[in-house]
Amino acid sequence: MMAAVGEVMGERGKVRRMVSSSSPDVEPEGEDGGIWRRGQDHFRHFTLLLEDELEEETSMIQERWSSWSHHRLQASGLALLGLKGRTNGTLYGEDILVFEHPDRKHLGQHRFTHGDIVVISRSKPLGEKTVEGIVLERGPTRLRIVVAQRPKDLRKGTWRLDRGANRVAHDRMQEALEMFHSVEGDRGTILRDVLLGQVHNPEENASMPPKISGRFNRSEAVQVELNPSQMDAMKSAMSRRLTIIQGPPGTGKTHTAVATLAQLAREGRGPILATAESNVAVDNLLEGLLGLGVRAVRIGRPVKVRETLRMATLDAQLEEHPKQDEIAIVRDEMDEVHRALPKLKGREKGLAHRDIQHNKKELRRLEREMIASVLDSAEVICSTNIGSGHRILDGRRFPIVLMDEATQAIEPSALIPISKGCRQLVLVGDHRQLPPTVISKKAERGGLGRSLFERLIDVGIQTNLLDVQYRMHPVLREYPSARFYDDRLKDGCSASERPSPAGILWPDWDHPFAFIPISGVEDEEQEGGSRSNPIEAARIYDLVQGLLLPGDVHPSEIGIITPYSGQVRALSDIFDSNKGREEGGQFAGLEINSVDGYQGREKDVIIFSAVRSNPDGVVGFLSDQRRLNVAITRAKRGLIVVGDPQTLRYDPTWRSWLDWAEERGLFAWHLVNG
């Protein structure tokens, strides 16, 4: 039996439940238990935090560019040097460029992924004119990048690529703060008082029905299979002005969000704005909506959208719009006038310039009409939180906003869609998993790392917990349920549906979990400060080979995760040798990523490398309970953890988890030596 609340952590085999995900020694300035007494304090506080965050990000990038060696830049995966460039077609009017080594060798381990902002330069991004682009596709030997402006002399010489910063995001968040606090009623949001906690009874206020005008069709329900907790969450979202849906790992929070959006659309309650912090999460919402026949339009540059969904982007629908014929005629007229200009003089030339200006105005009018017609016909508009601040949506009001991944959005980011006339708000997420990413330590201490989702729970807004998980083998659900979710999670899949993978001698064949205790060697990188553990990396290489030998799992069904980028690189180097992870290689499809990069993901088998091994018991950010929760809840059929138990036991959360594993006989001592 799991321990009750309040039992001592150190007692072997017991699990103390997680009380709070917030740092215990941080109390955001100007705030009392999540309640803001004055709106101006909230505005000033977050304005300063955003400034700190932008300053930290900018200075970090500038310091990296000015003082880091080429070796450190490449070792950190933040820059690629000595690349050749060439064109590779277009994407909705923007150029696609390919960058690769002259001999087309492997690019090595790097952090450039789909949708990232890239700064393109010759050798010194601080000392020359640069071009910004967005990663379209990442391959083992090349990057495809979309740019609005092609660099001069692309094929001459070599190029350097650097990870860039997103200043646009900061500007839109600041604008949202100003809108949230300065505009009344539909032009801002009538939910401001309850969101700030400035009402007598926040939960009672949140439970009030939304005041949305219109005639709704209530005769038809969306045909989506939902379990009782998912159905309750959807009913709450339909009837309340503010709903919080907590979705633990594998409980189908996106499925529930999609069903809710589809039902709202079916009842004609639009326009509806569906957002999330990441493009991947927005794409998941869009995919689900399209599958249910909902008319959904995706806002944002097509390069950041999953290829199979680009037909639903605004750009793609504009290309197919009937008014494109009218635009083509106007452009032909303009081209004709431009060709005639050199031969014209005096009054005729003046009239020609007048005609050009007239045609430009006509083009803008037609484009506005096309955009309006596409957006007006949509039942749901999908975008990232930052993307919802695009000028295309200026002047549009969205009485209903549903935000997925709400626990990964800093509060100013969440305010961007909310400040567009929101009257009914649904927040979907899980504050027991990873929080928003904040660069500035000062901003994090000030509370920027706490999401609006979590603050509203602290204010007293009740959550709708999705309590049936469909991902994990029941034994893998046991500890996170007890530790993080008050032992409320139930299994929607049986042990027979998640058979133990062959290729490893599990300590208990009916319980596909193994902790392999290894006293490894913790190395700190000379440049960058990340850590690796070569002994753990070598052991994991052997484990993967063993798992693949019976043919029970494919490399693409295995995920290796670790908290340190240095270990990601060390593991990648091992598996990438002899082109191991390239198409046709022995490990083709095998994924190696950080814990943060795996939130929302799942694999049949997960291998986790803890890395830390030192006599002082220093575990670094492994001590974050939310990071452990994510790490141990990604696996469907089997979980293998490799680490140093003596070091990990210094941390209370890890000690509790190791005691749980040891008591159940899941320490794989027989696998320590191979």
Side-chain angles (χ1 to χ4, degrees):
M1 292 289 290
M2 293 297 166
V5 177
E7 290 192 84
V8 179
M9 178 86 69
E11 190 178 352
R12 296 182 66 80
K14 302 297 183 181
V15 180
R16 192 176 76 182
R17 293 170 175 82
M18 177 173 155
V19 177
S20 175
S21 60
S22 301
S23 176
D25 59 349
V26 173
E27 186 67 34
E29 185 181 342
E31 184 189 351
D32 181 17
I35 298 172
W36 289 91
R37 303 298 180 185
R38 299 191 306 170
Q40 63 192 61
D41 293 336
H42 178 273
F43 175 80
R44 183 169 58 251
H45 182 72
F46 279 105
T47 294
L48 293 174
L49 293 183
L50 285 178
E51 289 176 357
D52 289 337
E53 180 74 355
L54 179 63
E55 182 179 347
E56 181 69 21
E57 184 178 13
T58 303
S59 63
M60 183 180 67
I61 292 175
Q62 289 180 343
E63 193 269 336
R64 182 194 306 161
W65 288 351
S66 61
S67 63
W68 284 26
S69 67
H70 286 178
H71 172 75
R72 182 178 179 183
L73 284 165
Q74 295 187 97
S76 302
L78 297 169
L80 293 168
L81 289 84
L83 305 181
K84 298 291 288 186
R86 57 185 172 87
T87 57
N88 189 236
T90 61
L91 180 68
Y92 298 105
E94 296 186 310
D95 288 317
I96 301 174
L97 310 181
V98 169
F99 290 93
E100 56 198 348
H101 285 294
D103 56 1
R104 300 193 177 182
K105 67 179 182 181
H106 202 285
L107 290 176
Q109 185 62 30
H110 59 80
R111 302 191 199 179
F112 295 87
T113 59
H114 177 257
D116 283 346
I117 294 174
V118 179
V119 178
I120 305 169
S121 66
R122 286 294 185 183
S123 59
K124 298 179 180 179
L126 280 179
E128 59 184 86
K129 185 178 180 180
T130 60
V131 172
E132 277 196 356
I134 297 174
V135 177
L136 173 64
E137 182 185 29
R138 166 181 172 156
T141 61
R142 69 176 191 173
L143 284 177
R144 297 176 74 213
I145 296 173
V146 174
V147 295
Q149 180 182 3
R150 190 188 307 177
K152 187 178 179 181
D153 298 326
L154 178 64
R155 285 187 169 273
K156 294 182 180 178
T158 59
W159 296 92
R160 167 176 168 174
L161 306 181
D162 289 85
R163 287 278 302 270
N166 190 352
R167 176 65 191 241
V168 172
H170 172 272
D171 293 342
R172 289 181 181 175
M173 286 188 285
Q174 187 59 47
E175 289 171 4
L177 273 171
E178 295 171 3
M179 179 72 75
F180 181 74
H181 285 285
S182 64
V183 180
E184 299 288 343
D186 282 350
R187 295 191 63 245
T189 175
I190 64 171
L191 299 179
R192 181 167 58 201
D193 290 348
V194 68
L195 295 180
L196 293 176
Q198 297 176 347
V199 293
H200 175 66
N201 188 325
E203 168 58 22
E204 182 179 311
N205 194 286
S207 65
M208 294 170 57
K211 295 181 180 179
I212 300 175
S213 60
R215 294 183 178 181
F216 308 134
N217 174 24
R218 304 182 184 274
S219 61
E220 190 176 2
V222 175
Q223 298 301 309
V224 179
E225 188 174 344
L226 299 172
N227 64 44
S229 67
Q230 292 171 333
M231 182 63 72
D232 288 344
M234 187 176 79
K235 288 180 178 177
S236 176
M238 300 292 295
S239 61
R240 292 166 53 105
R241 66 202 302 234
L242 173 58
T243 301
I244 297 178
I245 300 174
Q246 183 186 2
T251 56
K253 60 180 182 295
T254 299
H255 177 72
T256 306
V258 168
T260 301
L261 287 167
Q263 187 61 46
L264 289 166
R266 184 72 54 87
E267 294 184 2
R269 298 198 182 201
I272 304 166
L273 183 58
T275 71
E277 191 64 10
S278 72
N279 283 288
V280 172
V282 178
D283 285 349
N284 291 338
L285 290 174
L286 177 63
E287 185 175 47
L289 290 170
L290 295 176
L292 293 176
V294 177
R295 296 193 306 276
V297 175
R298 175 76 152 89
I299 301 297
R301 295 180 69 176
V303 61
K304 295 186 177 184
V305 180
R306 194 180 305 154
E307 187 175 0
T308 56
L309 300 172
R310 286 178 190 153
M311 76 290 187
T313 62
L314 177 62
D315 293 69
Q317 296 195 35
L318 290 177
E319 279 199 354
E320 301 297 323
H321 199 279
K323 286 187 180 290
Q324 284 290 356
D325 292 338
E326 295 181 51
I327 285 180
I329 292 172
V330 176
R331 283 176 174 161
D332 287 342
E333 290 177 359
M334 286 181 64
D335 291 342
E336 187 176 341
V337 176
H338 274 293
R339 287 193 296 270
L341 265 178
K343 301 176 183 179
L344 300 177
K345 295 181 181 180
R347 185 171 180 271
E348 287 184 341
K349 192 168 187 176
L351 291 172
H353 281 293
R354 184 198 65 182
D355 290 341
I356 290 172
Q357 292 303 314
H358 173 78
N359 285 335
K360 286 181 178 179
K361 289 181 180 180
E362 181 66 8
L363 281 176
R364 288 194 294 268
R365 183 188 68 80
L366 288 170
E367 287 171 352
R368 286 195 300 269
E369 288 182 0
M370 288 165 57
I371 292 170
S373 69
V374 172
L375 297 180
D376 289 344
S377 64
E379 295 174 306
V380 181
I381 292 175
C382 303
S383 79
T384 61
N385 291 334
I386 300 299
S388 67
H390 195 285
R391 58 177 179 79
I392 284 176
L393 299 182
D394 284 353
R396 290 184 173 268
R397 299 290 169 247
F398 297 93
I400 302 174
V401 175
L402 183 145
M403 189 183 305
D404 199 2
E405 278 189 345
T407 48
Q408 293 187 268
I410 62 175
E411 188 159 327
S413 175
L415 291 181
I416 299 174
I418 291 172
S419 297
K420 292 186 171 296
C422 180
R423 289 173 166 266
Q424 185 175 6
L425 176 63
V426 183
L427 299 177
V428 185
D430 182 15
H431 57 301
R432 304 306 192 200
Q433 298 187 61
L434 291 176
T437 299
V438 177
I439 298 172
S440 167
K441 298 298 183 185
K442 182 180 178 182
E444 187 172 23
R445 289 193 299 270
L448 191 61
R450 181 171 67 158
S451 65
L452 175 65
F453 182 108
E454 187 171 4
R455 184 171 67 75
L456 289 174
I457 292 175
D458 292 342
V459 167
I461 307 299
Q462 295 179 7
T463 63
N464 294 268
L465 180 75
L466 307 182
D467 61 11
V468 182
Q469 70 86 19
Y470 299 90
R471 174 184 297 160
M472 296 170 279
H473 185 289
V475 74
L476 302 181
R477 180 268 311 151
E478 186 178 317
Y479 180 88
S481 177
R483 175 71 182 182
F484 306 114
Y485 304 105
D486 297 326
D487 224 3
R488 294 172 64 186
L489 292 189
K490 297 172 287 191
D491 296 313
C493 55
S494 64
S496 61
E497 294 174 296
R498 298 288 185 267
S500 302
I504 179 175
L505 186 59
W506 299 98
D508 183 338
W509 190 257
D510 294 325
H511 296 76
F513 168 80
F515 178 77
I516 303 178
I518 293 180
S519 296
V521 178
E522 176 186 323
D523 293 336
E524 184 174 1
E525 295 179 341
Q526 292 185 349
E527 293 186 300
S530 189
R531 286 171 168 81
S532 62
N533 191 315
I535 294 178
E536 287 188 13
R539 188 70 192 90
I540 288 170
Y541 181 81
D542 293 338
L543 285 168
V544 172
Q545 285 190 310
L547 283 165
L548 295 177
L549 195 60
D552 185 30
V553 291
H554 187 270
S556 63
E557 298 169 324
I558 301 174
I560 304 174
I561 59 179
T562 179
Y564 290 96
S565 59
Q567 187 73 340
V568 171
R569 289 190 287 276
L571 287 161
S572 298
D573 288 343
I574 294 176
F575 285 99
D576 289 342
S577 61
N578 299 315
K579 301 182 178 180
R581 286 198 296 162
E582 293 186 22
E583 188 175 351
Q586 180 184 0
F587 307 109
L590 176 71
E591 288 192 32
I592 305 170
N593 211 332
S594 65
V595 178
D596 299 54
Y598 247 94
Q599 177 147 316
R601 307 280 310 283
E602 64 183 26
K603 292 285 184 178
D604 277 29
V605 181
I606 288 290
I607 304 174
F608 178 76
S609 174
V611 178
R612 302 309 297 263
S613 181
N614 56 77
D616 301 320
V618 178
V619 299
F621 53 72
L622 277 177
S623 62
D624 191 327
Q625 301 176 91
R626 297 164 296 189
R627 187 162 273 105
L628 174 63
N629 186 26
V630 172
I632 64 176
T633 56
R634 303 303 97 193
K636 296 193 296 184
R637 294 175 55 193
L639 173 65
I640 305 168
V641 178
V642 182
D644 184 344
Q646 293 185 338
T647 298
L648 295 175
R649 283 191 185 277
Y650 277 87
D651 179 77
T653 302
W654 279 90
R655 182 168 66 247
S656 169
W657 182 72
L658 288 169
D659 288 345
W660 169 85
E662 191 170 28
E663 185 175 82
R664 284 152 181 76
L666 302 178
F667 269 51
W669 292 104
H670 60 289
L671 298 177
V672 171
N673 296 315

